[in-house]
């Protein structure tokens, strides 16, 4: 594999499990949002959600946002970003994300 191809592949992390991630690590996670937390109306705050992947939960935080269109409890979400350590645990800050469709078993 060429250096350019290796560099391109290194930029996109493989899908990680929440139970295996650590601070200062670039991750790609996939799971279901269990809850969302809105900042108070009068504060700048941050919008956050709890992502659960079957191995554990991690907070996903959008700094300076009161909401993010399409983000609500119960959706399937793929996120990529940097994990940081905060006083209340690990979180992914300002991730890129993709809302995944819900798969139904209709016959």
């Amino acid at each position: 594999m060429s250096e350019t191809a290796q560099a391109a592949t290194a930029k996109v992390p493989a899908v990680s499990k929440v139970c295996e991630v650590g601070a200062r690590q670039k991750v790609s996670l996939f799971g279901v949002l269990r809850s969302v937390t809105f900042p108070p109306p009068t504060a700048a705050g941050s919008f956050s959600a709890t992502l659960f992947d079957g191995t554990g939960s991690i907070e996903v935080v959008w700094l300076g946002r009161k909401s993010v269109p399409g983000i609500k409890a119960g959706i399937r979400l793929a996120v990529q970003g940097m994990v940081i350590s905060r006083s209340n645990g690990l979180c992914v800050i300002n991730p890129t994300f993709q809302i995944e469709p819900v798969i139904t078993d209709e016959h």
Side-chain angles (χ1 to χ4, degrees):
M1 183 182 288
S2 73
E3 273 187 51
T4 308
Q6 286 175 343
T9 355
K11 290 179 185 175
V12 180
V15 174
S16 307
K17 294 179 183 175
V18 170
C19 67
E20 297 173 347
V21 302
R24 303 176 88 175
Q25 179 181 3
K26 192 168 188 175
V27 296
S28 180
L29 300 168
F30 176 78
V32 175
L33 291 185
R34 285 201 162 165
S35 64
V36 295
T37 305
F38 298 93
T42 56
S46 58
F47 176 72
S48 65
T50 303
L51 182 76
F52 177 74
D53 74 348
T55 69
S57 296
I58 191 166
E59 289 297 307
V60 180
V61 179
W62 288 270
L63 299 173
R65 301 285 302 264
K66 292 188 182 281
S67 68
V68 176
I71 300 296
K72 59 186 178 184
I75 66 165
R76 295 164 20 109
L77 191 69
V79 298
Q80 286 187 341
M82 184 64 69
V83 176
I84 67 163
S85 180
R86 293 173 64 173
S87 59
N88 59 345
L90 297 176
C91 65
V92 182
I93 297 292
N94 292 331
T96 57
F97 66 92
Q98 180 174 346
I99 298 171
E100 299 292 327
V102 176
I103 299 169
T104 59
D105 282 338
E106 292 183 21
H107 295 282

